[in-house]
Amino acid sequence: MTRFIQTIKDRSRILRSIRDWFFQRGFIEIDLPVSAGEIIPEEHIHPFQIAGRENSYLLPSPELHLKPMLATGIPALFSITRAFRQGECGQFHLPEFAMLEWYRRGVDYEQLITDCQDLVRHAVTAVRGEAVIERSGRRYDLSAPFHLITVSQAFMEFAGWDPLEVHDVDRFDLDMVEKVEPALAELGGVFLKDFPPWQASLAALSEDGRCARRVELYLAGVELANGFTELMDARLQARRLAEQGFPPEQLPVGFLKGLSHAPSQAAGMALGIDRLVMLICGAESVQQVVPVSPEWLC
Amino acid sequence: MYEASDLRKGLKIMIDGEPYIITEFQFSKPGKGQALYRCKLKNMITGLTMDRTYRSGDKFEPANLEEKRMQYLYNDGDGYHFMDLKNYEQVTLSEDQVGDARNFLKDNMEVDILFFNENVPISIALPNFVELEVTKSDPGVRGDTATGATKPATLETGYTVQVPLFIEEGEVLKIDTRTGQYVERVKK
């Protein structure tokens, strides 16, 4: 059997194991359109606009449709969908990629950390028979609890400064890529939590307002999942987006309206399925683990 | 002018007035952050490498590089001498710049030489295949008929290559300059 066929089979098994994991826990699967009439503005995410139509986009993330679904009263929901981001082409990036998102009512991001660790182990074991992955000649045993460190701790230790004290977006991105991520690769599974508020416009803040309740999972140094205790207050959300410099006409009106009917507390997480498959299959790039690589979008 | 999003492996750009080639490239985008373009770059004149990370908005001049068709003349203590067939101007490349190509260069051979800013020679590109005469090769040992059996042969440039046992001195061989390997015997 060629490596490609093996990868496609493993991918199918991973998708099934993910669905199994959620169904065993009472989650409802939601299937969604990949397009929408508005988007949640993010400075560094460039959506594809649909040609010949004003105000219609291929969604860069399903949260626009999914988060307001919490208002239906469903306590736990997930979606496996396609997401589209212009200009994202590279070893870990595809301009069209597979994304998993899940949401729970009445919990905070601590629950996401538990969910995520358990789900990743479940998917890895479904294919490999044990909770072990290999990357760049290294073996990572994922059966021990994943590391949990704050952004402050990580930056103080690996980059020598604290982003909760100093607001420097360019330095944050650069040091994250050049210093922090390579150091995290040594640790196997790591949750990085409590980001500066300017790094999480959709997340709830801590009580003292110093940090956002956002968490990221890094596996073998690869950013795999991102989640937060959701900001569920529509007015506060509109204000946070305005503070980021987005003009009123760019605010996602439908999304904000949907939020105002949703529960007061919820948490949600997104996970890149192509990256997970890459890590489980020991592939070098996401291009190697998709049945068809969308290179016409690169 | 190139944008940061045009950067990729193999692209040749100007940095601080010198030509660089991108030898390794990685697109990176941390979390909610900006796109970063991480490059390993090699200075095309000095051969030294460095790491640089660029971001959207950074702009780059393409390196002013030009290939010229030239004829190989000879080598001496100063290096390897070539002549432009159009204007008869001569240029000299060092041992390092010629590199492994020296194994395949014979008098009057036409090659492409890469120039920076019109007159600074950087490197040499050979044709993929060259034909070279065998100047020395011992006869194959009789009875040694194992498939794939080879023996060494020295070519007119001094380069030694593994050839099939039936090859004799004075024959002309086709050599792949990319791998340095024997391809076939050239019919006279």
Side-chain angles (χ1 to χ4, degrees), chain B residues 111-141:
Chain B
V111 299
D112 290 320
I113 293 185
L114 188 65
F115 285 85
F116 169 58
N117 281 350
E118 289 183 14
N119 55 16
V120 184
I122 285 183
S123 65
I124 170 171
L126 293 174
N128 289 343
F129 300 101
V130 294
E131 294 179 358
L132 296 169
E133 188 181 328
V134 179
T135 52
K136 185 177 184 314
S137 190
D138 296 330
V141 180

PDB file of all heavy atoms in Angstrom, chain B residues 111-141:
ATOM      1  N   VAL B 111      29.287  27.613 -22.070  1.00  0.00           N
ATOM      2  CA  VAL B 111      28.555  27.486 -20.807  1.00  0.00           C
ATOM      3  C   VAL B 111      27.803  28.788 -20.532  1.00  0.00           C
ATOM      4  O   VAL B 111      28.049  29.799 -21.185  1.00  0.00           O
ATOM      5  CB  VAL B 111      29.517  27.213 -19.626  1.00  0.00           C
ATOM      6  CG1 VAL B 111      30.268  25.914 -19.830  1.00  0.00           C
ATOM      7  CG2 VAL B 111      30.494  28.383 -19.453  1.00  0.00           C
ATOM      8  N   ASP B 112      26.875  28.737 -19.559  1.00  0.00           N
ATOM      9  CA  ASP B 112      26.186  29.958 -19.136  1.00  0.00           C
ATOM     10  C   ASP B 112      26.807  30.447 -17.838  1.00  0.00           C
ATOM     11  O   ASP B 112      26.929  29.679 -16.890  1.00  0.00           O
ATOM     12  CB  ASP B 112      24.695  29.685 -18.922  1.00  0.00           C
ATOM     13  CG  ASP B 112      23.986  29.420 -20.231  1.00  0.00           C
ATOM     14  OD1 ASP B 112      24.301  30.116 -21.213  1.00  0.00           O
ATOM     15  OD2 ASP B 112      23.142  28.506 -20.282  1.00  0.00           O
ATOM     16  N   ILE B 113      27.194  31.709 -17.815  1.00  0.00           N
ATOM     17  CA  ILE B 113      27.750  32.274 -16.588  1.00  0.00           C
ATOM     18  C   ILE B 113      26.805  33.335 -16.060  1.00  0.00           C
ATOM     19  O   ILE B 113      26.292  34.167 -16.806  1.00  0.00           O
ATOM     20  CB  ILE B 113      29.169  32.841 -16.829  1.00  0.00           C
ATOM     21  CG1 ILE B 113      30.080  31.649 -17.145  1.00  0.00           C
ATOM     22  CG2 ILE B 113      29.668  33.611 -15.601  1.00  0.00           C
ATOM     23  CD1 ILE B 113      31.518  31.985 -17.296  1.00  0.00           C
ATOM     24  N   LEU B 114      26.532  33.217 -14.745  1.00  0.00           N
ATOM     25  CA  LEU B 114      25.598  34.127 -14.103  1.00  0.00           C
ATOM     26  C   LEU B 114      26.361  35.350 -13.593  1.00  0.00           C
ATOM     27  O   LEU B 114      27.353  35.222 -12.879  1.00  0.00           O
ATOM     28  CB  LEU B 114      24.919  33.403 -12.937  1.00  0.00           C
ATOM     29  CG  LEU B 114      23.768  34.131 -12.254  1.00  0.00           C
ATOM     30  CD1 LEU B 114      22.592  34.305 -13.213  1.00  0.00           C
ATOM     31  CD2 LEU B 114      23.327  33.354 -11.021  1.00  0.00           C
ATOM     32  N   PHE B 115      25.888  36.534 -13.987  1.00  0.00           N
ATOM     33  CA  PHE B 115      26.524  37.779 -13.570  1.00  0.00           C
ATOM     34  C   PHE B 115      25.592  38.574 -12.680  1.00  0.00           C
ATOM     35  O   PHE B 115      24.386  38.605 -12.893  1.00  0.00           O
ATOM     36  CB  PHE B 115      26.867  38.649 -14.787  1.00  0.00           C
ATOM     37  CG  PHE B 115      28.055  38.154 -15.548  1.00  0.00           C
ATOM     38  CD1 PHE B 115      27.910  37.175 -16.524  1.00  0.00           C
ATOM     39  CD2 PHE B 115      29.322  38.646 -15.281  1.00  0.00           C
ATOM     40  CE1 PHE B 115      29.001  36.704 -17.227  1.00  0.00           C
ATOM     41  CE2 PHE B 115      30.421  38.180 -15.978  1.00  0.00           C
ATOM     42  CZ  PHE B 115      30.265  37.207 -16.957  1.00  0.00           C
ATOM     43  N   PHE B 116      26.200  39.257 -11.692  1.00  0.00           N
ATOM     44  CA  PHE B 116      25.474  40.197 -10.852  1.00  0.00           C
ATOM     45  C   PHE B 116      25.865  41.602 -11.300  1.00  0.00           C
ATOM     46  O   PHE B 116      27.061  41.869 -11.505  1.00  0.00           O
ATOM     47  CB  PHE B 116      25.840  39.964  -9.384  1.00  0.00           C
ATOM     48  CG  PHE B 116      25.344  41.035  -8.464  1.00  0.00           C
ATOM     49  CD1 PHE B 116      23.981  41.335  -8.385  1.00  0.00           C
ATOM     50  CD2 PHE B 116      26.229  41.747  -7.670  1.00  0.00           C
ATOM     51  CE1 PHE B 116      23.527  42.324  -7.544  1.00  0.00           C
ATOM     52  CE2 PHE B 116      25.768  42.743  -6.814  1.00  0.00           C
ATOM     53  CZ  PHE B 116      24.421  43.030  -6.755  1.00  0.00           C
ATOM     54  N   ASN B 117      24.894  42.510 -11.447  1.00  0.00           N
ATOM     55  CA  ASN B 117      25.153  43.872 -11.929  1.00  0.00           C
ATOM     56  C   ASN B 117      26.017  43.886 -13.193  1.00  0.00           C
ATOM     57  O   ASN B 117      26.967  44.664 -13.301  1.00  0.00           O
ATOM     58  CB  ASN B 117      25.821  44.708 -10.827  1.00  0.00           C
ATOM     59  CG  ASN B 117      24.786  45.196  -9.826  1.00  0.00           C
ATOM     60  OD1 ASN B 117      23.584  45.074 -10.058  1.00  0.00           O
ATOM     61  ND2 ASN B 117      25.247  45.728  -8.713  1.00  0.00           N
ATOM     62  N   GLU B 118      25.741  42.996 -14.089  1.00  0.00           N
ATOM     63  CA  GLU B 118      26.342  42.917 -15.425  1.00  0.00           C
ATOM     64  C   GLU B 118      27.781  42.433 -15.466  1.00  0.00           C
ATOM     65  O   GLU B 118      28.182  41.810 -16.429  1.00  0.00           O
ATOM     66  CB  GLU B 118      26.244  44.272 -16.144  1.00  0.00           C
ATOM     67  CG  GLU B 118      24.804  44.558 -16.523  1.00  0.00           C
ATOM     68  CD  GLU B 118      24.634  45.845 -17.303  1.00  0.00           C
ATOM     69  OE1 GLU B 118      25.647  46.393 -17.789  1.00  0.00           O
ATOM     70  OE2 GLU B 118      23.494  46.275 -17.446  1.00  0.00           O
ATOM     71  N   ASN B 119      28.604  42.748 -14.439  1.00  0.00           N
ATOM     72  CA  ASN B 119      30.006  42.371 -14.612  1.00  0.00           C
ATOM     73  C   ASN B 119      30.642  41.598 -13.455  1.00  0.00           C
ATOM     74  O   ASN B 119      31.823  41.324 -13.477  1.00  0.00           O
ATOM     75  CB  ASN B 119      30.846  43.621 -14.920  1.00  0.00           C
ATOM     76  CG  ASN B 119      30.647  44.679 -13.851  1.00  0.00           C
ATOM     77  OD1 ASN B 119      30.133  44.367 -12.774  1.00  0.00           O
ATOM     78  ND2 ASN B 119      31.038  45.912 -14.135  1.00  0.00           N
ATOM     79  N   VAL B 120      29.855  41.245 -12.438  1.00  0.00           N
ATOM     80  CA  VAL B 120      30.424  40.438 -11.353  1.00  0.00           C
ATOM     81  C   VAL B 120      30.010  38.976 -11.558  1.00  0.00           C
ATOM     82  O   VAL B 120      28.843  38.635 -11.373  1.00  0.00           O
ATOM     83  CB  VAL B 120      29.919  40.924  -9.970  1.00  0.00           C
ATOM     84  CG1 VAL B 120      30.593  40.131  -8.854  1.00  0.00           C
ATOM     85  CG2 VAL B 120      30.154  42.409  -9.812  1.00  0.00           C
ATOM     86  N   PRO B 121      30.959  38.124 -11.978  1.00  0.00           N
ATOM     87  CA  PRO B 121      30.569  36.732 -12.211  1.00  0.00           C
ATOM     88  C   PRO B 121      30.277  36.025 -10.889  1.00  0.00           C
ATOM     89  O   PRO B 121      30.974  36.248  -9.898  1.00  0.00           O
ATOM     90  CB  PRO B 121      31.799  36.129 -12.895  1.00  0.00           C
ATOM     91  CG  PRO B 121      32.929  36.985 -12.467  1.00  0.00           C
ATOM     92  CD  PRO B 121      32.388  38.358 -12.222  1.00  0.00           C
ATOM     93  N   ILE B 122      29.233  35.190 -10.871  1.00  0.00           N
ATOM     94  CA  ILE B 122      28.828  34.506  -9.640  1.00  0.00           C
ATOM     95  C   ILE B 122      28.973  32.999  -9.760  1.00  0.00           C
ATOM     96  O   ILE B 122      29.556  32.345  -8.901  1.00  0.00           O
ATOM     97  CB  ILE B 122      27.371  34.877  -9.291  1.00  0.00           C
ATOM     98  CG1 ILE B 122      27.335  36.294  -8.741  1.00  0.00           C
ATOM     99  CG2 ILE B 122      26.799  33.903  -8.287  1.00  0.00           C
ATOM    100  CD1 ILE B 122      25.974  36.730  -8.295  1.00  0.00           C
ATOM    101  N   SER B 123      28.431  32.460 -10.829  1.00  0.00           N
ATOM    102  CA  SER B 123      28.464  30.999 -10.915  1.00  0.00           C
ATOM    103  C   SER B 123      28.371  30.565 -12.370  1.00  0.00           C
ATOM    104  O   SER B 123      28.115  31.370 -13.266  1.00  0.00           O
ATOM    105  CB  SER B 123      27.313  30.398 -10.118  1.00  0.00           C
ATOM    106  OG  SER B 123      26.088  30.781 -10.715  1.00  0.00           O
ATOM    107  N   ILE B 124      28.550  29.279 -12.561  1.00  0.00           N
ATOM    108  CA  ILE B 124      28.583  28.736 -13.905  1.00  0.00           C
ATOM    109  C   ILE B 124      27.522  27.646 -14.024  1.00  0.00           C
ATOM    110  O   ILE B 124      27.308  26.883 -13.086  1.00  0.00           O
ATOM    111  CB  ILE B 124      30.001  28.195 -14.195  1.00  0.00           C
ATOM    112  CG1 ILE B 124      30.046  27.396 -15.482  1.00  0.00           C
ATOM    113  CG2 ILE B 124      30.524  27.336 -13.064  1.00  0.00           C
ATOM    114  CD1 ILE B 124      31.476  27.058 -15.881  1.00  0.00           C
ATOM    115  N   ALA B 125      26.811  27.608 -15.145  1.00  0.00           N
ATOM    116  CA  ALA B 125      25.834  26.552 -15.394  1.00  0.00           C
ATOM    117  C   ALA B 125      26.251  25.779 -16.629  1.00  0.00           C
ATOM    118  O   ALA B 125      26.375  26.344 -17.719  1.00  0.00           O
ATOM    119  CB  ALA B 125      24.450  27.166 -15.593  1.00  0.00           C
ATOM    120  N   LEU B 126      26.494  24.502 -16.422  1.00  0.00           N
ATOM    121  CA  LEU B 126      26.917  23.649 -17.541  1.00  0.00           C
ATOM    122  C   LEU B 126      25.703  23.137 -18.280  1.00  0.00           C
ATOM    123  O   LEU B 126      24.604  23.099 -17.730  1.00  0.00           O
ATOM    124  CB  LEU B 126      27.671  22.436 -16.982  1.00  0.00           C
ATOM    125  CG  LEU B 126      29.010  22.678 -16.301  1.00  0.00           C
ATOM    126  CD1 LEU B 126      29.492  21.367 -15.712  1.00  0.00           C
ATOM    127  CD2 LEU B 126      30.024  23.211 -17.304  1.00  0.00           C
ATOM    128  N   PRO B 127      25.906  22.685 -19.537  1.00  0.00           N
ATOM    129  CA  PRO B 127      24.832  21.899 -20.161  1.00  0.00           C
ATOM    130  C   PRO B 127      24.601  20.640 -19.316  1.00  0.00           C
ATOM    131  O   PRO B 127      25.508  20.202 -18.600  1.00  0.00           O
ATOM    132  CB  PRO B 127      25.395  21.530 -21.538  1.00  0.00           C
ATOM    133  CG  PRO B 127      26.755  22.126 -21.635  1.00  0.00           C
ATOM    134  CD  PRO B 127      27.111  22.790 -20.354  1.00  0.00           C
ATOM    135  N   ASN B 128      23.394  20.072 -19.369  1.00  0.00           N
ATOM    136  CA  ASN B 128      23.121  18.877 -18.558  1.00  0.00           C
ATOM    137  C   ASN B 128      24.006  17.697 -18.936  1.00  0.00           C
ATOM    138  O   ASN B 128      24.344  16.868 -18.111  1.00  0.00           O
ATOM    139  CB  ASN B 128      21.649  18.463 -18.695  1.00  0.00           C
ATOM    140  CG  ASN B 128      20.738  19.463 -17.989  1.00  0.00           C
ATOM    141  OD1 ASN B 128      21.202  20.240 -17.163  1.00  0.00           O
ATOM    142  ND2 ASN B 128      19.458  19.445 -18.334  1.00  0.00           N
ATOM    143  N   PHE B 129      24.347  17.634 -20.233  1.00  0.00           N
ATOM    144  CA  PHE B 129      25.181  16.517 -20.693  1.00  0.00           C
ATOM    145  C   PHE B 129      26.406  17.055 -21.428  1.00  0.00           C
ATOM    146  O   PHE B 129      26.304  18.021 -22.180  1.00  0.00           O
ATOM    147  CB  PHE B 129      24.388  15.600 -21.640  1.00  0.00           C
ATOM    148  CG  PHE B 129      23.178  15.010 -20.966  1.00  0.00           C
ATOM    149  CD1 PHE B 129      21.923  15.548 -21.195  1.00  0.00           C
ATOM    150  CD2 PHE B 129      23.308  13.933 -20.093  1.00  0.00           C
ATOM    151  CE1 PHE B 129      20.799  15.013 -20.564  1.00  0.00           C
ATOM    152  CE2 PHE B 129      22.190  13.395 -19.461  1.00  0.00           C
ATOM    153  CZ  PHE B 129      20.928  13.936 -19.698  1.00  0.00           C
ATOM    154  N   VAL B 130      27.555  16.439 -21.180  1.00  0.00           N
ATOM    155  CA  VAL B 130      28.747  16.788 -21.946  1.00  0.00           C
ATOM    156  C   VAL B 130      29.362  15.506 -22.483  1.00  0.00           C
ATOM    157  O   VAL B 130      29.108  14.406 -21.974  1.00  0.00           O
ATOM    158  CB  VAL B 130      29.800  17.535 -21.092  1.00  0.00           C
ATOM    159  CG1 VAL B 130      29.267  18.893 -20.653  1.00  0.00           C
ATOM    160  CG2 VAL B 130      30.211  16.710 -19.886  1.00  0.00           C
ATOM    161  N   GLU B 131      30.157  15.649 -23.567  1.00  0.00           N
ATOM    162  CA  GLU B 131      30.837  14.497 -24.145  1.00  0.00           C
ATOM    163  C   GLU B 131      32.329  14.626 -23.891  1.00  0.00           C
ATOM    164  O   GLU B 131      32.936  15.643 -24.236  1.00  0.00           O
ATOM    165  CB  GLU B 131      30.535  14.420 -25.646  1.00  0.00           C
ATOM    166  CG  GLU B 131      29.059  14.131 -25.878  1.00  0.00           C
ATOM    167  CD  GLU B 131      28.693  14.058 -27.359  1.00  0.00           C
ATOM    168  OE1 GLU B 131      29.591  14.266 -28.206  1.00  0.00           O
ATOM    169  OE2 GLU B 131      27.515  13.808 -27.638  1.00  0.00           O
ATOM    170  N   LEU B 132      32.904  13.618 -23.261  1.00  0.00           N
ATOM    171  CA  LEU B 132      34.315  13.670 -22.884  1.00  0.00           C
ATOM    172  C   LEU B 132      35.010  12.369 -23.289  1.00  0.00           C
ATOM    173  O   LEU B 132      34.420  11.282 -23.202  1.00  0.00           O
ATOM    174  CB  LEU B 132      34.453  13.901 -21.378  1.00  0.00           C
ATOM    175  CG  LEU B 132      33.913  15.248 -20.854  1.00  0.00           C
ATOM    176  CD1 LEU B 132      33.858  15.254 -19.336  1.00  0.00           C
ATOM    177  CD2 LEU B 132      34.747  16.419 -21.372  1.00  0.00           C
ATOM    178  N   GLU B 133      36.282  12.517 -23.680  1.00  0.00           N
ATOM    179  CA  GLU B 133      37.054  11.354 -24.152  1.00  0.00           C
ATOM    180  C   GLU B 133      37.721  10.642 -22.973  1.00  0.00           C
ATOM    181  O   GLU B 133      38.196  11.276 -22.035  1.00  0.00           O
ATOM    182  CB  GLU B 133      38.119  11.832 -25.152  1.00  0.00           C
ATOM    183  CG  GLU B 133      38.829  10.686 -25.840  1.00  0.00           C
ATOM    184  CD  GLU B 133      39.905  11.189 -26.816  1.00  0.00           C
ATOM    185  OE1 GLU B 133      39.716  12.280 -27.394  1.00  0.00           O
ATOM    186  OE2 GLU B 133      40.929  10.492 -26.955  1.00  0.00           O
ATOM    187  N   VAL B 134      37.794   9.296 -23.091  1.00  0.00           N
ATOM    188  CA  VAL B 134      38.475   8.491 -22.080  1.00  0.00           C
ATOM    189  C   VAL B 134      39.972   8.535 -22.375  1.00  0.00           C
ATOM    190  O   VAL B 134      40.409   8.172 -23.464  1.00  0.00           O
ATOM    191  CB  VAL B 134      37.980   7.028 -22.117  1.00  0.00           C
ATOM    192  CG1 VAL B 134      38.735   6.190 -21.071  1.00  0.00           C
ATOM    193  CG2 VAL B 134      36.480   6.969 -21.866  1.00  0.00           C
ATOM    194  N   THR B 135      40.758   9.006 -21.400  1.00  0.00           N
ATOM    195  CA  THR B 135      42.211   9.055 -21.633  1.00  0.00           C
ATOM    196  C   THR B 135      42.907   7.862 -20.991  1.00  0.00           C
ATOM    197  O   THR B 135      44.001   7.491 -21.371  1.00  0.00           O
ATOM    198  CB  THR B 135      42.817  10.348 -21.052  1.00  0.00           C
ATOM    199  OG1 THR B 135      42.407  10.469 -19.698  1.00  0.00           O
ATOM    200  CG2 THR B 135      42.337  11.557 -21.835  1.00  0.00           C
ATOM    201  N   LYS B 136      42.265   7.265 -20.009  1.00  0.00           N
ATOM    202  CA  LYS B 136      42.902   6.115 -19.362  1.00  0.00           C
ATOM    203  C   LYS B 136      41.846   5.221 -18.738  1.00  0.00           C
ATOM    204  O   LYS B 136      40.984   5.690 -18.000  1.00  0.00           O
ATOM    205  CB  LYS B 136      43.876   6.593 -18.272  1.00  0.00           C
ATOM    206  CG  LYS B 136      44.676   5.472 -17.619  1.00  0.00           C
ATOM    207  CD  LYS B 136      45.669   6.031 -16.610  1.00  0.00           C
ATOM    208  CE  LYS B 136      46.547   4.941 -16.017  1.00  0.00           C
ATOM    209  NZ  LYS B 136      45.831   3.745 -15.589  1.00  0.00           N
ATOM    210  N   SER B 137      41.865   3.930 -19.110  1.00  0.00           N
ATOM    211  CA  SER B 137      41.010   2.973 -18.419  1.00  0.00           C
ATOM    212  C   SER B 137      41.568   1.586 -18.673  1.00  0.00           C
ATOM    213  O   SER B 137      41.780   1.188 -19.829  1.00  0.00           O
ATOM    214  CB  SER B 137      39.574   3.067 -18.927  1.00  0.00           C
ATOM    215  OG  SER B 137      38.723   2.305 -18.098  1.00  0.00           O
ATOM    216  N   ASP B 138      41.842   0.837 -17.609  1.00  0.00           N
ATOM    217  CA  ASP B 138      42.376  -0.512 -17.774  1.00  0.00           C
ATOM    218  C   ASP B 138      41.294  -1.391 -18.375  1.00  0.00           C
ATOM    219  O   ASP B 138      40.105  -1.174 -18.130  1.00  0.00           O
ATOM    220  CB  ASP B 138      42.810  -1.067 -16.413  1.00  0.00           C
ATOM    221  CG  ASP B 138      43.965  -0.238 -15.854  1.00  0.00           C
ATOM    222  OD1 ASP B 138      44.743   0.310 -16.670  1.00  0.00           O
ATOM    223  OD2 ASP B 138      44.056  -0.105 -14.614  1.00  0.00           O
ATOM    224  N   PRO B 139      41.702  -2.404 -19.181  1.00  0.00           N
ATOM    225  CA  PRO B 139      40.694  -3.300 -19.761  1.00  0.00           C
ATOM    226  C   PRO B 139      39.914  -3.994 -18.646  1.00  0.00           C
ATOM    227  O   PRO B 139      40.467  -4.245 -17.572  1.00  0.00           O
ATOM    228  CB  PRO B 139      41.531  -4.323 -20.547  1.00  0.00           C
ATOM    229  CG  PRO B 139      42.889  -3.711 -20.682  1.00  0.00           C
ATOM    230  CD  PRO B 139      43.081  -2.777 -19.541  1.00  0.00           C
ATOM    231  N   GLY B 140      38.643  -4.297 -18.910  1.00  0.00           N
ATOM    232  CA  GLY B 140      37.836  -5.004 -17.926  1.00  0.00           C
ATOM    233  C   GLY B 140      38.383  -6.414 -17.720  1.00  0.00           C
ATOM    234  O   GLY B 140      38.953  -7.004 -18.627  1.00  0.00           O
ATOM    235  N   VAL B 141      38.235  -6.926 -16.499  1.00  0.00           N
ATOM    236  CA  VAL B 141      38.735  -8.272 -16.215  1.00  0.00           C
ATOM    237  C   VAL B 141      37.844  -9.306 -16.918  1.00  0.00           C
ATOM    238  O   VAL B 141      36.626  -9.305 -16.733  1.00  0.00           O
ATOM    239  CB  VAL B 141      38.758  -8.526 -14.690  1.00  0.00           C
ATOM    240  CG1 VAL B 141      39.282  -9.921 -14.385  1.00  0.00           C
ATOM    241  CG2 VAL B 141      39.599  -7.461 -14.007  1.00  0.00           C
TER     242      VAL B 141
END
